[in-house]
Structure formats: C-alpha cells, structure tokens
Amino acid sequence: MFWNYAEGKIGFREASRVTRHFSEFSLRDGDCDLSDSRRSVSPMESWLESFAITDGKCHPDCLKANNEQEDYDACQSAALVAVSLISSARVIFKIDSKYTEYSPQYLVDNVGKEEVEGEMDQPSCQYTVGNLLSYLVENVWTKKEVRQREMDQQRREFTVKDCFEFAFKKGLPRNGHWAHVGCIFPVPPFACQIPRVPMKGEVIEAANVSEALKLGMQQPAAARLHLFSPEFDLVGEGIYDVLSGNETRYVGLRDVLMVEAEKIKGETVFTVQICYKKKTSFVKVSTRSMILPLNGDDKSQVTEPACLLVDFCIPRFSIN
C-alpha cells in the first residue's frame, strides 16, 4: 500500500508553523541576562529559552513583507517540503520518538552558502550582549527597503534534493530555534552556535512513476508538479489533467508531497499535497504521459511528452 499520511500531522501547514524571530529578542526586564546564576544555564541556552518570550510575535516589518508575498518562492517551497519529509521519515523509522518539526528557514538561509572555515571560533560569532546589540543596530534598526534589497541580492536557488543533502551534512535546528519562513532579517553571525540535530542518510531518487510508487510504499516522497492555469485552479475534487486550450498558461514547477496512489478507471493517480499561493490543498494528479501545452517565450516550458509529476526523491535515513 502506498504510504498515506493525508490525515496525519505532516505537511506545509505544520512545517511552516515557525513562530520565533531573531529580531524579537527583548532587552527589557532582564530578558538579555546571559548569566542566569539561579539555574547555571549557558548564554546559548538562555538565548534559546528567550525565544518563548516573544510568544510567536513577528517584527511588524516581517508581518507586512510576508502579507505582501502572494506565494512562497521556490527555495521556501523546497525547504518546507524537505523538512516535512524529514520529520515524517524520522518518526516512521523511530529515530524520533514523536513528530518533531525542524526549521525550513534554516535551509533557506544556508543551503548553497559558502562555508567559512573556523566560523564558530570567530569573536563576532560568539553570543554576547555586545554582538547582539551590534546586530540589532546594524540590521534590525535599519530601513526595511535596505534589508530586503540585501536579502534579494543574496538569494540562491536550490531543490528539495539539495535540502536533503545539506541536512545530512550539517544537521537541522529544531523548529522554534531559528527564524520563521520569510524572515527579512539577515542571519546573526552568532546563530552558527545554535544546536543542530545530526542527520545521517542519503537521498534516493526515482526516475519514473513506477519507481516512485515503490518509494512511496516505504515513506512519503517529494516530487515536482507541472502547474498549468486555469486547469489547476479549476480541478476541485476532480483529477488534475491538462487539455490544451486557448486559455492554458504554463505557471511552472511546484514542489509537492506525494501522499497516496490509487487506480481510477485503470489509470494510476497520485494524491499530492501542495501549497500554492500559500494555501495548502490535496489534489489528484494524472500520471499518464502527455503533450503539455506551450505558449509564451519561457524557455523552461515543456517541449516534449512528459508526466505532470517529475523529480521524485526521498530522504533515506541510516538507523544505526
């Protein structure tokens, strides 16, 4: 039976429930006390505990920027799918005793980033009051337009597969120990000190639908879906298929989670979970090869018979 977790606690909605923000660390009422002698906690432990004080409140600039963003970009979408699959796989194979959320924004901030040798030993990367105040002055209290421009210039492109490979190499911080998805503030240098859960395993890919079915019998899998409008917008409870029409427009590839497979009138149909325009839904998708309609000058558009679902992969964890 193909792995079905459509009713489980796994998906974009849960993965994106990141409720902490770097800039919301309060300096009032001793929140910034790095040497709590009553409990003998380390500065980093004190900082991580302080995230709870914000109670999930974002900086107003972040709220405004995220509200203005119609949809997650490709990197955010890939990171959200990746952490959902990582969390579910770790429960399935009993690596985690319960479903544990990991940070998608950590992947957005770090996948493809050039490594700095000895970064954790540098004075500017230590968590101190001085470094914290310097970060607030240089980043949080500057104009939003400047911050957003700098973030856009640093944007890198990556896939779900890239996220898996990075997680296996560097580990992941738990959700709540990193910024929320879409954070407009640069990562503090001292964030490299935040503890990460080690991950050990490899990425397994499937070349076609038949191989993807086999992967899906073991654990949930990732894929990318060719999205066409208005067909996708109008699919409702039906099966997403593409019939060439004058109004058909190619939107692009979107990351999805494959949650179920079934036979409908002799055809294999996947149910996928997708977050499109920041709304999560479950859609049945045809797996037959077809000539996908083209229009416009976008070179990324499909030019030969293909399946609507492509680029299948899973994170295969090493249990020992």
Side-chain angles (χ1 to χ4, degrees):
M1 178 179 178
F2 191 86
W3 181 264
N4 185 343
Y5 68 118
E7 301 300 325
K9 186 188 175 187
I10 301 171
F12 284 104
R13 192 168 300 167
E14 287 73 25
S16 62
R17 197 191 308 146
V18 188
T19 58
R20 308 294 179 250
H21 195 291
F22 290 132
S23 68
E24 289 303 297
F25 187 55
S26 174
L27 298 179
R28 66 183 183 278
D29 300 328
D31 294 344
C32 208
D33 183 4
L34 301 185
S35 57
D36 190 340
S37 59
R38 293 170 298 177
R39 292 180 290 123
S40 298
V41 297
S42 69
M44 179 53 64
E45 289 174 327
S46 179
W47 185 37
L48 295 179
E49 289 177 4
S50 73
F51 288 152
I53 299 171
T54 68
D55 194 28
K57 297 176 182 177
C58 291
H59 189 284
D61 287 351
C62 266
L63 286 172
K64 186 174 186 296
N66 278 272
N67 288 336
E68 292 173 349
Q69 183 184 17
E70 181 183 16
D71 197 4
Y72 294 117
D73 65 30
C75 294
Q76 292 168 337
S77 177
L80 286 165
V81 168
V83 295
S84 290
L85 290 173
I86 286 171
S87 294
S88 61
R90 288 177 66 87
V91 171
I92 292 168
F93 295 107
K94 303 186 186 306
I95 300 171
D96 290 340
S97 59
K98 61 180 181 179
Y99 186 84
T100 303
E101 297 178 350
Y102 296 95
S103 171
Q105 186 63 29
Y106 173 79
L107 293 170
V108 173
D109 290 331
N110 290 282
V111 174
K113 177 182 175 182
E114 184 177 350
E115 292 188 41
V116 179
E117 188 175 353
E119 179 183 31
M120 295 185 68
D121 298 325
Q122 295 180 7
S124 62
C125 294
Q126 306 309 306
Y127 179 66
T128 65
V129 172
N131 284 341
L132 174 60
L133 290 174
S134 294
Y135 172 81
L136 292 173
V137 170
E138 295 172 7
N139 298 285
V140 180
W141 298 331
T142 57
K143 292 182 179 180
K144 188 192 85 168
E145 292 77 14
V146 175
R147 290 197 302 271
Q148 192 61 55
R149 183 169 61 252
E150 291 175 349
M151 294 292 285
D152 290 341
Q153 290 173 349
Q154 298 172 10
R155 179 68 69 191
R156 300 170 298 278
E157 293 186 4
F158 54 80
T159 64
V160 173
K161 177 185 175 183
D162 295 328
C163 291
F164 291 154
E165 292 175 340
F166 186 83
F168 288 139
K169 182 179 180 181
K170 295 293 186 180
L172 291 175
R174 288 186 173 86
N175 205 3
H177 287 175
W178 204 263
H180 65 87
V181 176
C183 176
I184 65 172
F185 291 88
V187 179
F190 43 83
C192 66
Q193 304 289 345
I194 291 177
R196 299 187 297 274
V197 176
M199 309 270 171
K200 185 179 180 182
E202 62 179 333
V203 182
I204 305 297
E205 298 180 87
N208 51 51
V209 171
S210 296
E211 292 182 9
L213 276 168
K214 294 178 182 178
L215 289 184
M217 292 178 182
Q218 305 164 32
Q219 65 186 83
R224 302 181 80 192
L225 175 66
H226 285 294
L227 212 63
F228 290 86
S229 180
E231 284 79 4
F232 183 81
D233 305 289
L234 302 175
V235 65
E237 299 296 323
I239 298 175
Y240 175 52
D241 206 340
V242 178
L243 300 175
S244 180
N246 294 332
E247 301 299 323
T248 298
R249 179 178 63 87
Y250 183 56
V251 178
L253 285 166
R254 291 293 185 273
D255 294 293
V256 299
L257 288 81
M258 298 162 54
V259 300
E260 189 178 16
E262 59 186 316
K263 286 282 187 179
I264 298 180
K265 296 182 179 180
E267 178 186 353
T268 299
V269 174
F270 280 123
T271 297
V272 303
Q273 182 182 355
I274 182 172
C275 187
Y276 180 52
K277 296 183 179 179
K278 292 189 175 181
K279 294 182 179 179
T280 302
S281 60
F282 292 92
V283 179
K284 295 182 184 297
V285 180
S286 170
T287 60
R288 67 182 179 86
S289 294
M290 63 190 79
I291 298 292
L292 299 179
L294 303 174
N295 51 55
D297 299 322
D298 187 348
K299 294 181 180 180
S300 69
Q301 292 186 18
V302 183
T303 58
E304 58 185 26
C307 179
L308 286 167
L309 287 165
V310 295
D311 300 339
F312 310 99
C313 65
I314 61 170
R316 176 65 52 78
F317 281 88
S318 301
I319 299 176
N320 297 327

